[in-house]
Amino acid sequence: MITLRIYHRTAYRYRQRVGLGPHRLMLRPRESRDLQVISSDVTVTPSAELTWAQDVFGNTVATAAFQSSADNLVIDCVTDLTLNAPIWPVFDITASAILYPFRYSDDEWIDLGALAIQQFPDPVGRLRGWAQSFVRGRPTDTLALLTDLSCGVSGSICYQSREDEGTQPPLETLDRGWGSCRDFAVLFIEAARSLGFGARIVSGYLYNPDATILGSNASGSTHAWTEVYVPGAGWITFDPTNRNVGSSNLIPVAVARDIRQAMPVTGSFVGEADAFQGMSVEVLVK
């Protein structure tokens, strides 16, 4: 078990004072058997009224409502937590799902719903064909297939940090041959869905104490990865950026069907079209 403190600051700068619309904050990590939050404090400048809720995925969401205009907006979150995820997890997969292809139960199909449906167009099945290339036989070992697929993403795509907003469609990532952690995650999740798996995107933090892991240039950073639902084992974590299985160095904040639903901070302002000057994000995990 390790105890960590996460500092996360998001700062927006404007050329003149603007009206600040409601901002949606997803900054509190998701608690589980392997992760317990000791404390998590959010501070917003200028001051705002915070209301808390859970979204459809069970993520903790705060909404910041502002009463005054400002030319700067700073959102700070400090979280203390314990992380106790095993480095080499063992997955108790149901006998009927050990080999692929397998069939989810009727209830599982209903509950997985859109999490088992591709979210990006694949008109001629090129992505599905790429994913099928990792199926070594029928039947084949389910966990080995998913692991090969995860490693295949980083084997086909070069990692490149990207500061611009949004995510590349998976076919664009394959064509370009490079992408960020969120592009890796979207490619993997769409490929897994094309093979019939229920999968979801995860956003959170990467703990990287020796600064050797892709996706972080210091002891930690924001990161994106995936989870695939396998009967018996439940949601299995795959980090295609680093070819890892399991969550020993991952701190989840939000799970979602689409990565747009898991952004740490979203909001709006009212002002001149060129009022927005820039933003910065600082993360420290120690």
Side-chain angles (χ1 to χ4, degrees), residues 24-177:
R24 184 174 184 265
L25 316 179
M26 300 179 73
L27 299 168
R28 181 186 173 90
R30 290 173 61 93
E31 294 194 77
S32 67
R33 183 172 60 87
D34 298 326
L35 189 156
Q36 290 80 45
V37 174
I38 300 169
S39 64
S40 186
D41 298 312
V42 176
T43 305
V44 181
T45 307
S47 61
E49 180 181 355
L50 294 179
T51 56
W52 295 87
Q54 286 187 316
D55 67 8
V56 68
F57 301 104
N59 303 312
T60 299
V61 180
T63 301
F66 300 89
Q67 301 298 323
S68 60
S69 60
D71 57 8
N72 284 275
L73 169 60
V74 178
I75 300 164
D76 286 307
C77 182
V78 180
T79 301
D80 292 312
L81 57 84
T82 58
L83 186 63
N84 193 32
I87 297 176
W88 303 108
V90 176
F91 303 106
D92 188 17
I93 299 173
T94 298
S96 61
I98 289 176
L99 296 178
Y100 173 89
F102 65 88
R103 187 183 184 281
Y104 289 119
S105 71
D106 291 344
D107 282 342
E108 286 169 333
W109 269 121
I110 292 170
D111 293 336
L112 287 169
L115 297 179
I117 299 172
Q118 290 177 250
Q119 304 296 304
F120 291 84
D122 185 23
V124 298
R126 189 156 67 91
L127 177 62
R128 187 173 189 276
W130 181 79
Q132 286 285 350
S133 70
F134 295 95
V135 181
R136 307 305 182 190
R138 289 182 178 269
T140 191
D141 183 270
T142 298
L143 184 58
L145 166 60
L146 291 168
T147 303
D148 287 347
L149 182 61
S150 177
C151 292
V153 171
S154 54
S156 303
I157 310 301
C158 296
Y159 176 79
Q160 182 172 318
S161 179
R162 217 163 36 82
E163 299 300 327
D164 50 317
E165 294 183 5
T167 303
Q168 295 174 171
L171 291 178
E172 183 178 329
T173 299
L174 284 176
D175 289 338
R176 288 186 172 184

Side-chain angles (χ1 to χ4, degrees), residues 123-263:
V124 298
R126 189 156 67 91
L127 177 62
R128 187 173 189 276
W130 181 79
Q132 286 285 350
S133 70
F134 295 95
V135 181
R136 307 305 182 190
R138 289 182 178 269
T140 191
D141 183 270
T142 298
L143 184 58
L145 166 60
L146 291 168
T147 303
D148 287 347
L149 182 61
S150 177
C151 292
V153 171
S154 54
S156 303
I157 310 301
C158 296
Y159 176 79
Q160 182 172 318
S161 179
R162 217 163 36 82
E163 299 300 327
D164 50 317
E165 294 183 5
T167 303
Q168 295 174 171
L171 291 178
E172 183 178 329
T173 299
L174 284 176
D175 289 338
R176 288 186 172 184
W178 60 268
S180 67
C181 62
R182 59 187 185 273
D183 301 318
F184 279 55
V186 168
L187 174 57
F188 173 85
I189 202 172
E190 287 290 282
R193 287 168 175 168
S194 78
L195 296 177
F197 290 98
R200 62 190 186 184
I201 203 85
V202 189
S203 70
Y205 303 101
L206 173 65
Y207 177 51
N208 183 19
D210 52 7
T212 60
I213 304 173
L214 288 178
S216 175
N217 56 13
S219 62
S221 68
T222 56
H223 194 50
W225 62 96
T226 66
E227 292 177 346
V228 178
Y229 183 78
V230 179
W235 292 103
I236 299 179
T237 298
F238 294 89
D239 179 4
T241 304
N242 293 292
R243 304 188 181 194
N244 287 340
V245 180
S247 55
S248 63
N249 65 328
L250 300 172
I251 302 159
V253 171
V255 300
R257 170 182 51 83
D258 188 289
I259 198 166
R260 294 177 295 107
Q261 300 169 305
M263 295 179 65

